[in-house]
Amino acid sequence: MSKDKITRTPLWLLASALCAAALLSSVFVFITVCAADGIIMGGSGLFTSLWAPEAKSFGIMPMIAATAALSLSSLALGWLVSLGCICFIHGFGGKHISAFLSLLLRVMTAVPTVVYGFASVFLLVPVIRDALGGSGFSWFTATLVLALLITPTMTLAMQGAVSQINDRYALTSASLGLSRGENLIYVVLPAARDSLRGAALLGFGRAAGDTMIPTMLAGNAVRYPASPLDAIRTLTAHIGLVLSSDVGGTAYYSLFAAGGMLLVMSLAANLLFRFACRGISGRSE
């Protein structure tokens, strides 16, 4: 059976798949080798809490903690907003306004990240500074904008599965007397739980890998995130800042360690997602 499928696959499609796999593998190998080289060149000092280039201390642990904190906080907020959008579009919103919201979310995915950051510097940062104090460039500010950035992506990822399941069960639910909202809550969302978790994984990867929002709005202070109003620096912002100002030296080698940690975080998120899905599937059986 599998051999027949392989023989029926067009040659150009197989070549494209092999080329994509080879490119991705080469990227992973490059990041892994460079990260190992950076750790060897930088030494154990890279995995400390002190970042003081003038004192030859290049610890990236606060940046690792900041990346995890910002990614998880923006994911939590963005996922809830995405779920609310899905509930409004497919269960509780009117036809025309739901169509408008879907169109708006698609338009938002085409807006460059730098536009979100640039607008937030002049519109959101002063509001947070006046209302909550501090400089306005903080973990909280970056969380709000990053959640807004990843919401359309997660919503559209959820919407594909929810739409298919809704079309499949709409007639049956209507015959049982369920309203659109009841059908969504009791039938569609439970059936689409794998897609909802997949959207969360996609949002986490998008949040952890973004560079412009943390660089422009998080404050870029190398410290552990203790308060939402603290300025922090993520690994992606660190890579962008160091590349723009320094080539060579231990600070430069810290970039490879930062890239390796981003890869580790991404792989860990994927493994946790797979184990969580497997555990839930096993319990449901």
Side-chain angles (χ1 to χ4, degrees), residues 179-197:
S179 64
R180 287 180 64 220
E182 291 172 335
N183 175 54
L184 177 72
I185 297 299
Y186 297 113
V187 178
V188 177
L189 291 182
R193 59 183 181 272
D194 288 343
S195 296
L196 300 182
R197 290 192 293 265

Side-chain angles (χ1 to χ4, degrees), residues 104-117 119 149 152 206:
L104 179 62
L105 290 169
R106 286 181 170 84
V107 171
M108 289 175 65
T109 59
V111 177
T113 305
V114 69
V115 174
Y116 287 98
L149 179 68
R206 182 77 174 86

